[in-house]
């Protein structure tokens, strides 16, 4: 225990701007960034916050580091849930950044306007059509649904970067291995959480097939299918 206390006591830091260093200042709060203990200590610190939803029927709270997602069945419960979290966080000396906070409606009545949710400090949270949580873009819809555009852009950006550097130098086997290990995870990131319909899966398949067409200089889907089979490259709709 003394070892852990000494790890976080008497911490200090300074700021470097170009070649100029600021004065050294003490750090009295927070945990060490990059430390293997920091996630566990922060989870213990916010443990009581995760138990708040037990008093709200149908309400849930998802915590990942300092990102908080509140899930409630109604606007009234959402506001009450938010106020309860504010009280708990205030007791922990933690504040909410309302500039990065918003509301998203999912369900049969998602297109119907509803009242604003107001924090204890009087800040009104805006209702949005899309939000990003842990890298997944959720959209307003009748059921839980994510937007794939950002994942596709990330896939094409990474794939084109690899192809532009080694696409005409390395073998097809090397390029495909790089795409499979570095780019496909970007395309499929977080898709286990929401329901992906058939049209969305087909659009993901199209992105993979389009890259194979570029790599093997063909527009024949039959040739692409043979190439995928030879390199054991399965489509997202098959996984």
């Amino acid at each position: 225990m003394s070892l852990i206390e000494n790890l976080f006591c008497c911490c200090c830091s300074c700021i470097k701007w170009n070649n100029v260093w600021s004065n050294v200042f003490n750090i009295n709060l927070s945990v060490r960034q990059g430390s293997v203990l920091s996630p566990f200590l922060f989870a213990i610190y916010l443990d009581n916050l995760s138990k708040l939803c037990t008093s709200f029927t149908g309400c849930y709270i998802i915590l990942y580091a300092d990102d908080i997602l509140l899930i409630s069945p109604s606007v009234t419960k959402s506001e009450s849930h938010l106020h309860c979290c504010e009280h708990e966080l205030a007791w922990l000396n933690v504040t909410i950044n309302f500039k990065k906070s918003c509301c998203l409606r999912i369900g049969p009545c998602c297109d119907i306007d509803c009242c604003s949710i107001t924090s204890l400090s009087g800040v009104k949270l805006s209702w949005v059509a899309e939000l990003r949580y842990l890298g997944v873009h959720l959209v307003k819809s009748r059921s839980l649904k994510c937007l794939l555009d950002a994942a596709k852009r990330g896939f094409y950006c990474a794939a084109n970067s690899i192809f532009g550097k080694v696409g005409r130098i390395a073998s097809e086997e090397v390029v495909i291995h790089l795409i499979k290990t570095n780019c496909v995870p970007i395309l499929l990131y977080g898709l286990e959480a929401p329901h992906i319909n058939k049209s969305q899966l087909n659009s993901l398949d199209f992105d993979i097939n389009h890259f194979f067409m570029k790599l093997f200089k063909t527009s024949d889907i039959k040739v692409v299918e043979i190439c995928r089979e030879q390199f054991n490259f399965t489509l997202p709709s098959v996984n």
Side-chain angles (χ1 to χ4, degrees), residues 67-124:
D67 291 318
I68 301 175
L69 178 64
L70 301 179
I71 304 175
S72 304
S74 66
V75 176
T76 303
K77 284 193 174 183
S78 295
E79 188 170 78
S80 300
H81 203 185
L82 172 63
H83 293 172
C84 192
C85 288
E86 285 184 274
H87 282 300
E88 182 67 22
L89 290 173
W91 184 79
L92 294 172
N93 198 24
V94 177
T95 58
I96 299 176
N97 187 352
F98 286 107
K99 292 181 179 180
K100 297 182 178 180
S101 303
C102 59
C103 302
L104 178 72
R105 200 171 188 187
I106 298 175
C109 302
C110 63
D111 293 324
I112 299 176
D113 294 335
C114 55
C115 299
S116 300
I117 294 178
T118 306
S119 68
L120 291 175
S121 58
V123 178
K124 290 187 177 181

Side-chain angles (χ1 to χ4, degrees), residues 176 202 205-206 208-214 216 218-235 237-238:
I176 291 175
N202 290 337
D205 291 348
F206 174 82
I208 299 296
N209 288 330
H210 185 266
F211 179 80
F212 269 81
M213 289 179 180
K214 181 178 180 180
F216 292 97
T218 181
S219 59
D220 192 338
I221 189 63
K222 295 294 184 181
V223 174
V224 170
E225 290 175 357
I226 294 173
C227 293
R228 287 201 326 268
E229 183 178 351
Q230 291 296 320
F231 288 98
N232 194 26
F233 200 112
T234 57
L235 292 173
S237 61
V238 179

Side-chain angles (χ1 to χ4, degrees), residues 114-203:
C114 55
C115 299
S116 300
I117 294 178
T118 306
S119 68
L120 291 175
S121 58
V123 178
K124 290 187 177 181
L125 302 184
S126 60
W127 290 93
V128 297
E130 174 189 345
L131 64 81
R132 181 186 179 191
Y133 183 70
L134 302 181
V136 178
H137 292 256
L138 302 175
V139 293
K140 180 178 68 174
S141 60
R142 296 178 63 87
S143 60
L144 184 61
K145 183 180 178 181
C146 68
L147 190 66
L148 302 180
D149 293 352
K152 291 182 177 183
R153 287 194 298 269
F155 169 79
Y156 279 117
C157 181
N160 289 332
S161 297
I162 292 174
F163 191 80
K165 291 183 179 296
V166 300
R168 300 306 179 195
I169 301 174
S171 65
E172 288 82 1
E173 184 177 8
V174 171
V175 175
I176 291 175
H177 177 74
L178 291 173
I179 296 300
K180 183 182 292 187
T181 55
N182 294 277
C183 305
V184 173
I186 298 175
L187 185 64
L188 304 182
Y189 174 77
L191 297 187
E192 301 88 349
H195 172 71
I196 305 298
N197 58 40
K198 186 176 181 179
S199 62
Q200 288 178 310
L201 285 174
N202 290 337
S203 69

